[in-house]
PDB file of all heavy atoms in Angstrom:
ATOM      1  N   LYS A   7      -8.909 -10.632 -11.066  1.00 96.00           N
ATOM      2  CA  LYS A   7      -8.126 -10.439  -9.838  1.00 96.00           C
ATOM      3  C   LYS A   7      -8.542  -9.170  -9.102  1.00 96.00           C
ATOM      4  O   LYS A   7      -8.635  -9.169  -7.876  1.00 96.00           O
ATOM      5  CB  LYS A   7      -6.629 -10.388 -10.143  1.00 96.00           C
ATOM      6  CG  LYS A   7      -6.014 -11.739 -10.387  1.00 96.00           C
ATOM      7  CD  LYS A   7      -4.519 -11.621 -10.491  1.00 96.00           C
ATOM      8  CE  LYS A   7      -3.893 -12.957 -10.787  1.00 96.00           C
ATOM      9  NZ  LYS A   7      -2.429 -12.851 -10.914  1.00 96.00           N
ATOM     10  N   VAL A   8      -8.810  -8.094  -9.841  1.00 96.00           N
ATOM     11  CA  VAL A   8      -9.279  -6.860  -9.194  1.00 96.00           C
ATOM     12  C   VAL A   8     -10.608  -7.139  -8.503  1.00 96.00           C
ATOM     13  O   VAL A   8     -10.801  -6.771  -7.331  1.00 96.00           O
ATOM     14  CB  VAL A   8      -9.416  -5.700 -10.202  1.00 96.00           C
ATOM     15  CG1 VAL A   8     -10.117  -4.501  -9.566  1.00 96.00           C
ATOM     16  CG2 VAL A   8      -8.054  -5.288 -10.743  1.00 96.00           C
ATOM     17  N   MET A   9     -11.509  -7.786  -9.187  1.00 95.00           N
ATOM     18  CA  MET A   9     -12.824  -8.080  -8.610  1.00 95.00           C
ATOM     19  C   MET A   9     -12.690  -8.983  -7.382  1.00 95.00           C
ATOM     20  O   MET A   9     -13.378  -8.775  -6.374  1.00 95.00           O
ATOM     21  CB  MET A   9     -13.744  -8.719  -9.654  1.00 95.00           C
ATOM     22  CG  MET A   9     -14.123  -7.762 -10.779  1.00 95.00           C
ATOM     23  SD  MET A   9     -14.893  -6.232 -10.205  1.00 95.00           S
ATOM     24  CE  MET A   9     -16.355  -6.857  -9.411  1.00 95.00           C
ATOM     25  N   ASP A  10     -11.801  -9.975  -7.451  1.00 96.00           N
ATOM     26  CA  ASP A  10     -11.609 -10.881  -6.315  1.00 96.00           C
ATOM     27  C   ASP A  10     -11.062 -10.127  -5.102  1.00 96.00           C
ATOM     28  O   ASP A  10     -11.556 -10.305  -3.987  1.00 96.00           O
ATOM     29  CB  ASP A  10     -10.665 -12.017  -6.710  1.00 96.00           C
ATOM     30  CG  ASP A  10     -10.483 -13.028  -5.595  1.00 96.00           C
ATOM     31  OD1 ASP A  10     -11.459 -13.334  -4.883  1.00 96.00           O
ATOM     32  OD2 ASP A  10      -9.346 -13.506  -5.421  1.00 96.00           O
ATOM     33  N   HIS A  11     -10.058  -9.265  -5.311  1.00 96.00           N
ATOM     34  CA  HIS A  11      -9.476  -8.517  -4.183  1.00 96.00           C
ATOM     35  C   HIS A  11     -10.435  -7.446  -3.660  1.00 96.00           C
ATOM     36  O   HIS A  11     -10.353  -7.075  -2.491  1.00 96.00           O
ATOM     37  CB  HIS A  11      -8.130  -7.904  -4.576  1.00 96.00           C
ATOM     38  CG  HIS A  11      -7.004  -8.871  -4.457  1.00 96.00           C
ATOM     39  ND1 HIS A  11      -6.256  -8.997  -3.313  1.00 96.00           N
ATOM     40  CD2 HIS A  11      -6.509  -9.781  -5.328  1.00 96.00           C
ATOM     41  CE1 HIS A  11      -5.342  -9.931  -3.492  1.00 96.00           C
ATOM     42  NE2 HIS A  11      -5.481 -10.427  -4.708  1.00 96.00           N
ATOM     43  N   PHE A  12     -11.332  -6.969  -4.503  1.00 95.00           N
ATOM     44  CA  PHE A  12     -12.347  -6.021  -4.037  1.00 95.00           C
ATOM     45  C   PHE A  12     -13.417  -6.751  -3.224  1.00 95.00           C
ATOM     46  O   PHE A  12     -13.776  -6.329  -2.124  1.00 95.00           O
ATOM     47  CB  PHE A  12     -12.981  -5.287  -5.223  1.00 95.00           C
ATOM     48  CG  PHE A  12     -14.255  -4.573  -4.869  1.00 95.00           C
ATOM     49  CD1 PHE A  12     -14.274  -3.586  -3.895  1.00 95.00           C
ATOM     50  CD2 PHE A  12     -15.442  -4.892  -5.508  1.00 95.00           C
ATOM     51  CE1 PHE A  12     -15.458  -2.931  -3.553  1.00 95.00           C
ATOM     52  CE2 PHE A  12     -16.626  -4.241  -5.179  1.00 95.00           C
ATOM     53  CZ  PHE A  12     -16.632  -3.261  -4.196  1.00 95.00           C
ATOM     54  N   GLN A  13     -13.907  -7.866  -3.749  1.00 96.00           N
ATOM     55  CA  GLN A  13     -14.994  -8.579  -3.086  1.00 96.00           C
ATOM     56  C   GLN A  13     -14.521  -9.429  -1.906  1.00 96.00           C
ATOM     57  O   GLN A  13     -15.308  -9.712  -1.004  1.00 96.00           O
ATOM     58  CB  GLN A  13     -15.730  -9.450  -4.103  1.00 96.00           C
ATOM     59  CG  GLN A  13     -16.446  -8.615  -5.148  1.00 96.00           C
ATOM     60  CD  GLN A  13     -17.038  -9.442  -6.271  1.00 96.00           C
ATOM     61  OE1 GLN A  13     -16.558 -10.519  -6.596  1.00 96.00           O
ATOM     62  NE2 GLN A  13     -18.104  -8.916  -6.879  1.00 96.00           N
ATOM     63  N   ASN A  14     -13.263  -9.845  -1.934  1.00 97.00           N
ATOM     64  CA  ASN A  14     -12.693 -10.686  -0.876  1.00 97.00           C
ATOM     65  C   ASN A  14     -11.322 -10.138  -0.475  1.00 97.00           C
ATOM     66  O   ASN A  14     -10.304 -10.807  -0.656  1.00 97.00           O
ATOM     67  CB  ASN A  14     -12.539 -12.139  -1.369  1.00 97.00           C
ATOM     68  CG  ASN A  14     -13.829 -12.687  -1.916  1.00 97.00           C
ATOM     69  OD1 ASN A  14     -14.771 -12.890  -1.176  1.00 97.00           O
ATOM     70  ND2 ASN A  14     -13.868 -12.903  -3.216  1.00 97.00           N
ATOM     71  N   PRO A  15     -11.282  -8.925   0.043  1.00 97.00           N
ATOM     72  CA  PRO A  15      -9.976  -8.323   0.347  1.00 97.00           C
ATOM     73  C   PRO A  15      -9.220  -9.125   1.407  1.00 97.00           C
ATOM     74  O   PRO A  15      -9.815  -9.645   2.346  1.00 97.00           O
ATOM     75  CB  PRO A  15     -10.315  -6.919   0.846  1.00 97.00           C
ATOM     76  CG  PRO A  15     -11.745  -6.989   1.278  1.00 97.00           C
ATOM     77  CD  PRO A  15     -12.391  -8.059   0.451  1.00 97.00           C
ATOM     78  N   ARG A  16      -7.923  -9.219   1.198  1.00 96.00           N
ATOM     79  CA  ARG A  16      -7.050  -9.922   2.134  1.00 96.00           C
ATOM     80  C   ARG A  16      -6.479  -8.924   3.134  1.00 96.00           C
ATOM     81  O   ARG A  16      -6.227  -7.775   2.797  1.00 96.00           O
ATOM     82  CB  ARG A  16      -5.871 -10.563   1.392  1.00 96.00           C
ATOM     83  CG  ARG A  16      -6.210 -11.849   0.635  1.00 96.00           C
ATOM     84  CD  ARG A  16      -7.124 -11.608  -0.501  1.00 96.00           C
ATOM     85  NE  ARG A  16      -6.978 -12.586  -1.577  1.00 96.00           N
ATOM     86  CZ  ARG A  16      -7.746 -12.588  -2.628  1.00 96.00           C
ATOM     87  NH1 ARG A  16      -8.713 -11.700  -2.763  1.00 96.00           N
ATOM     88  NH2 ARG A  16      -7.570 -13.485  -3.560  1.00 96.00           N
ATOM     89  N   ASN A  17      -6.258  -9.389   4.352  1.00 97.00           N
ATOM     90  CA  ASN A  17      -5.516  -8.636   5.366  1.00 97.00           C
ATOM     91  C   ASN A  17      -6.174  -7.323   5.778  1.00 97.00           C
ATOM     92  O   ASN A  17      -5.488  -6.343   6.061  1.00 97.00           O
ATOM     93  CB  ASN A  17      -4.079  -8.396   4.890  1.00 97.00           C
ATOM     94  CG  ASN A  17      -3.398  -9.681   4.479  1.00 97.00           C
ATOM     95  OD1 ASN A  17      -3.383 -10.637   5.245  1.00 97.00           O
ATOM     96  ND2 ASN A  17      -2.882  -9.726   3.271  1.00 97.00           N
ATOM     97  N   VAL A  18      -7.499  -7.305   5.842  1.00 97.00           N
ATOM     98  CA  VAL A  18      -8.209  -6.118   6.302  1.00 97.00           C
ATOM     99  C   VAL A  18      -8.132  -6.054   7.820  1.00 97.00           C
ATOM    100  O   VAL A  18      -8.223  -7.077   8.498  1.00 97.00           O
ATOM    101  CB  VAL A  18      -9.694  -6.155   5.862  1.00 97.00           C
ATOM    102  CG1 VAL A  18     -10.467  -4.979   6.447  1.00 97.00           C
ATOM    103  CG2 VAL A  18      -9.804  -6.171   4.350  1.00 97.00           C
ATOM    104  N   GLY A  19      -7.951  -4.870   8.355  1.00 96.00           N
ATOM    105  CA  GLY A  19      -7.932  -4.686   9.800  1.00 96.00           C
ATOM    106  C   GLY A  19      -6.787  -3.796  10.219  1.00 96.00           C
ATOM    107  O   GLY A  19      -6.220  -3.074   9.410  1.00 96.00           O
ATOM    108  N   LYS A  20      -6.470  -3.874  11.522  1.00 94.00           N
ATOM    109  CA  LYS A  20      -5.344  -3.105  12.009  1.00 94.00           C
ATOM    110  C   LYS A  20      -4.545  -3.959  12.968  1.00 94.00           C
ATOM    111  O   LYS A  20      -5.038  -4.961  13.489  1.00 94.00           O
ATOM    112  CB  LYS A  20      -5.782  -1.803  12.648  1.00 94.00           C
ATOM    113  CG  LYS A  20      -6.686  -1.922  13.838  1.00 94.00           C
ATOM    114  CD  LYS A  20      -7.082  -0.533  14.308  1.00 94.00           C
ATOM    115  CE  LYS A  20      -8.045  -0.610  15.470  1.00 94.00           C
ATOM    116  NZ  LYS A  20      -8.416   0.719  15.957  1.00 94.00           N
ATOM    117  N   ILE A  21      -3.307  -3.548  13.180  1.00 94.00           N
ATOM    118  CA  ILE A  21      -2.407  -4.245  14.092  1.00 94.00           C
ATOM    119  C   ILE A  21      -2.207  -3.343  15.294  1.00 94.00           C
ATOM    120  O   ILE A  21      -1.837  -2.180  15.146  1.00 94.00           O
ATOM    121  CB  ILE A  21      -1.063  -4.565  13.400  1.00 94.00           C
ATOM    122  CG1 ILE A  21      -1.298  -5.427  12.153  1.00 94.00           C
ATOM    123  CG2 ILE A  21      -0.121  -5.256  14.378  1.00 94.00           C
ATOM    124  CD1 ILE A  21      -0.074  -5.623  11.291  1.00 94.00           C
ATOM    125  N   GLU A  22      -2.460  -3.876  16.461  1.00 85.00           N
ATOM    126  CA  GLU A  22      -2.444  -3.074  17.681  1.00 85.00           C
ATOM    127  C   GLU A  22      -1.060  -2.885  18.293  1.00 85.00           C
ATOM    128  O   GLU A  22      -0.793  -1.873  18.910  1.00 85.00           O
ATOM    129  CB  GLU A  22      -3.370  -3.701  18.727  1.00 85.00           C
ATOM    130  CG  GLU A  22      -4.808  -3.793  18.296  1.00 85.00           C
ATOM    131  CD  GLU A  22      -5.512  -2.455  18.154  1.00 85.00           C
ATOM    132  OE1 GLU A  22      -5.019  -1.447  18.690  1.00 85.00           O
ATOM    133  OE2 GLU A  22      -6.559  -2.420  17.497  1.00 85.00           O
ATOM    134  N   ASP A  23      -0.169  -3.859  18.194  1.00 75.00           N
ATOM    135  CA  ASP A  23       1.130  -3.825  18.867  1.00 75.00           C
ATOM    136  C   ASP A  23       1.992  -2.692  18.324  1.00 75.00           C
ATOM    137  O   ASP A  23       2.703  -2.841  17.348  1.00 75.00           O
ATOM    138  CB  ASP A  23       1.844  -5.171  18.683  1.00 75.00           C
ATOM    139  CG  ASP A  23       3.226  -5.214  19.314  1.00 75.00           C
ATOM    140  OD1 ASP A  23       3.538  -4.345  20.144  1.00 75.00           O
ATOM    141  OD2 ASP A  23       3.986  -6.132  18.980  1.00 75.00           O
ATOM    142  N   ALA A  24       1.925  -1.537  18.975  1.00 72.00           N
ATOM    143  CA  ALA A  24       2.611  -0.340  18.484  1.00 72.00           C
ATOM    144  C   ALA A  24       4.127  -0.451  18.532  1.00 72.00           C
ATOM    145  O   ALA A  24       4.823   0.286  17.850  1.00 72.00           O
ATOM    146  CB  ALA A  24       2.161   0.884  19.269  1.00 72.00           C
ATOM    147  N   GLN A  25       4.671  -1.368  19.319  1.00 80.00           N
ATOM    148  CA  GLN A  25       6.117  -1.456  19.463  1.00 80.00           C
ATOM    149  C   GLN A  25       6.817  -1.854  18.162  1.00 80.00           C
ATOM    150  O   GLN A  25       7.849  -1.302  17.823  1.00 80.00           O
ATOM    151  CB  GLN A  25       6.477  -2.453  20.559  1.00 80.00           C
ATOM    152  CG  GLN A  25       7.965  -2.548  20.804  1.00 80.00           C
ATOM    153  CD  GLN A  25       8.282  -3.497  21.933  1.00 80.00           C
ATOM    154  OE1 GLN A  25       7.418  -4.144  22.493  1.00 80.00           O
ATOM    155  NE2 GLN A  25       9.557  -3.588  22.265  1.00 80.00           N
ATOM    156  N   ASN A  26       6.299  -2.804  17.458  1.00 90.00           N
ATOM    157  CA  ASN A  26       6.947  -3.291  16.238  1.00 90.00           C
ATOM    158  C   ASN A  26       6.123  -3.011  14.994  1.00 90.00           C
ATOM    159  O   ASN A  26       6.216  -3.737  14.022  1.00 90.00           O
ATOM    160  CB  ASN A  26       7.204  -4.798  16.347  1.00 90.00           C
ATOM    161  CG  ASN A  26       8.218  -5.130  17.407  1.00 90.00           C
ATOM    162  OD1 ASN A  26       9.229  -4.451  17.534  1.00 90.00           O
ATOM    163  ND2 ASN A  26       7.940  -6.156  18.192  1.00 90.00           N
ATOM    164  N   VAL A  27       5.318  -1.955  15.042  1.00 95.00           N
ATOM    165  CA  VAL A  27       4.406  -1.685  13.933  1.00 95.00           C
ATOM    166  C   VAL A  27       4.661  -0.302  13.356  1.00 95.00           C
ATOM    167  O   VAL A  27       4.821   0.672  14.086  1.00 95.00           O
ATOM    168  CB  VAL A  27       2.930  -1.788  14.400  1.00 95.00           C
ATOM    169  CG1 VAL A  27       1.972  -1.375  13.297  1.00 95.00           C
ATOM    170  CG2 VAL A  27       2.626  -3.202  14.854  1.00 95.00           C
TER     171      VAL A  27
END
Side-chain angles (χ1 to χ4, degrees):
K7 282 188 182 179
V8 171
M9 293 304 298
D10 183 38
H11 277 268
F12 165 59
Q13 294 173 332
N14 306 292
R16 283 67 153 176
N17 307 308
V18 175
K20 61 183 177 179
I21 301 171
E22 299 292 343
D23 178 16
Q25 183 178 4
N26 293 318
V27 174

